[in-house]
Amino acid sequence: MRVVDRLMLGQNKMVAVVRVGERWLLLGVTGENITMLAELTEEQASCWKNCAETDKKPPKFADVIAAALHRDNQNRK
């Protein structure tokens, strides 16, 4: 298990992308709880996957999530 990226939301609050084997999870983390918010598809996780394989720094967390959500919304129309 490896924390690939995280975005701090406040004191003791963050969202994190975690890789567990071949699974990519989006977790909400507080001082008291860890909650799985979503399991990312290969497409959604592709940015982090490609960066992990090449040791490049990923783009800003918020930009990656916004792009993934935008693609999902477009696919649902």
Side-chain angles (χ1 to χ4, degrees):
M1 181 169 76
R2 183 170 84 104
V3 175
V4 178
D5 203 356
R6 64 181 180 219
L7 176 65
M8 298 302 296
L9 302 174
Q11 187 175 10
N12 297 325
K13 296 176 185 171
M14 73 173 130
V15 289
V17 174
V18 177
R19 185 173 183 182
V20 181
E22 294 300 314
R23 296 175 69 189
W24 295 80
L25 307 176
L26 181 63
L27 303 178
V29 182
T30 69
E32 297 84 33
N33 295 305
I34 299 174
T35 304
M36 187 173 90
L37 303 173
E39 182 166 351
L40 303 178
T41 64
E42 284 293 320
E43 181 182 357
Q44 291 168 328
S46 65
C47 171
W48 289 290
K49 185 176 182 179
N50 294 338
C51 291
E53 291 171 354
T54 60
D55 287 330
K56 292 182 181 177
K57 185 177 178 179
K60 291 182 179 178
F61 185 96
D63 294 342
V64 175
I65 294 298
L69 292 174
H70 177 74
R71 281 191 306 269
D72 283 354
N73 287 335
Q74 293 298 317
N75 290 338
R76 289 183 184 152
K77 290 182 179 180

